[in-house]
Amino acid sequence: MANIVVIGLFSIVLLCIAAAQGRKTLHLTNEWLTSYPVIHDIDGICKTMVETQGYTCEEHKVITEDGYILSLQRLPVGRSGKKADKPPVLLQHGIFSDAITWLFNPPDESLGFILADNGYDVWLANTRGTKYSSGHTSLNPNDMAYWDWSWDELASYDLPAFVQYVYNQTGQRVHYAGHSLGTLTALAAFSQGQVLNMLRSAALLSPIAHMYQITSLPTKLAADTFIADAVYWLGLRELIPHGDVAAKLMEDICDTLNLDCSNLMTLFTGPNCCINSSRIDDFLDHEPQPTATKNLIHLAQMIRTGNIAKYDYDDQEQNMQHYGQPVPPPYDMTEIPNEFPLFLSYGGQDMLSDVKDVQVLLNDLKDHDGNKLVELLMENYAHLDFVMGVNANQMIYDPMMAFFKDN
Ligand SMILES: *[C@@H]1O[C@H](CO)[C@@H](O)[C@H](O)[C@H]1NC(C)=O
Ligand SMILES: *[C@@H]1O[C@H](CO)[C@@H](O)[C@H](O)[C@H]1NC(C)=O
């Protein structure tokens, strides 16, 4: 059961379903009201995940314009002890995870360590609401208001804060690499001309922009369920998918939807070819991380409509209040500057960043300068192979570093 839960929880969709199906359970247990633990520096990602592998690591903090206190980790030196002589790279994880995503496999398979060993100055971002970024100047995670955000805010506040901070600290323009939701927030920001002046390039793994043609039927059903009762879900504020309740939820889901539980990972993220399954239990110690239910509803809106737009309050007056217009303003991917270097890598088996939707994005980018757009399709990869695949070092990270070198 543990394996199924942890893998499933990686995906947007599974949690939508889990939440939808588990409504009664959540009411009964109040698990989602768990108080946040105080994190001492000694517990941090540097201490637990980086220094243990023999690497130097620094903890940093940045405060967003809307008051969230976010943590970053820096690996300024490779395993050899040689100081970075290449530009900074900022790594942005996806939904339900944090910077540990980039450190979880052994050093020669994890992008965070690989970049440091190759002379890059590595910076790892942790978005709001995750364990090591749960601070705020006036709110705390037990407040409703703390969770009043979707990926709009990740794009307009968290991302600029991270990029500006690394740019300030290093005095250099930055390479960006994101996975999954960490690509959507970047694309949204780029389409509005944000942060580009501080970046050299961006590598997008499992790029998410359009989400209309995702190939998983349960995913579509989940999105519908979520939207149908958005008011209720918003009342839950955040989703912390840990523990026995999550396991119970999964069982209920399997029964209700008549799914083969041994195959949940395939059903939701696609058949990941290349993950070492014996590491999954270790992974449970660190992940998954909570997210705002508003964020999940925003994603469900995209799956429903096929649009990439700001969060829809589903109420003309509220939309007017927030946006000065009755419908949420779209993010126009064709506005991404044609000369900005982009590396897009996507998987033939990925059910969240599915090939058809990626092709719609590539069509949006059809006027992009040919030598500023690298496209890498991995036929046998699904969603999680890009960060956990045991051969991602050769298949994805080597070509990515070649791209960084050129830009
Ligand atoms: C970056 O530096 C500028 C200029 O010194 C400063 O105004 C800004 O607050 C800094 N931002 C971050 C996120 O460090
Ligand atoms: C899978 O991971 C385990 C634990 O890290 C390791 O002992 C084993 O060698 C790995 N197997 C492969 C095929 O990489």
Side-chain angles (χ1 to χ4, degrees), residues 62 161 164-165 168:
V62 62
Q164 180 79 58
Y165 184 84
N168 279 13

Side-chain angles (χ1 to χ4, degrees), residues 146-158:
Y146 178 92
W147 296 99
D148 185 16
W149 52 266
S150 77
W151 60 261
D152 286 332
E153 283 74 23
L154 302 184
S156 57
Y157 295 112
D158 287 22

Side-chain angles (χ1 to χ4, degrees), residues 88-129:
V89 183
L90 175 66
L91 299 184
Q92 177 59 64
H93 62 79
I95 196 166
F96 298 133
S97 62
D98 62 12
I100 287 174
T101 301
W102 309 108
L103 306 168
F104 183 73
N105 277 344
D108 57 347
E109 292 174 7
S110 296
L111 185 57
F113 295 117
I114 290 171
L115 287 168
D117 286 336
N118 280 274
Y120 289 94
D121 180 9
V122 180
W123 294 78
L124 310 175
N126 297 269
T127 50
R128 61 182 63 188

Side-chain angles (χ1 to χ4, degrees), residues 106 109 276-279 282 390:
E109 292 174 7
N276 180 339
S277 58
S278 70
R279 293 186 190 136
D282 282 350
V390 295

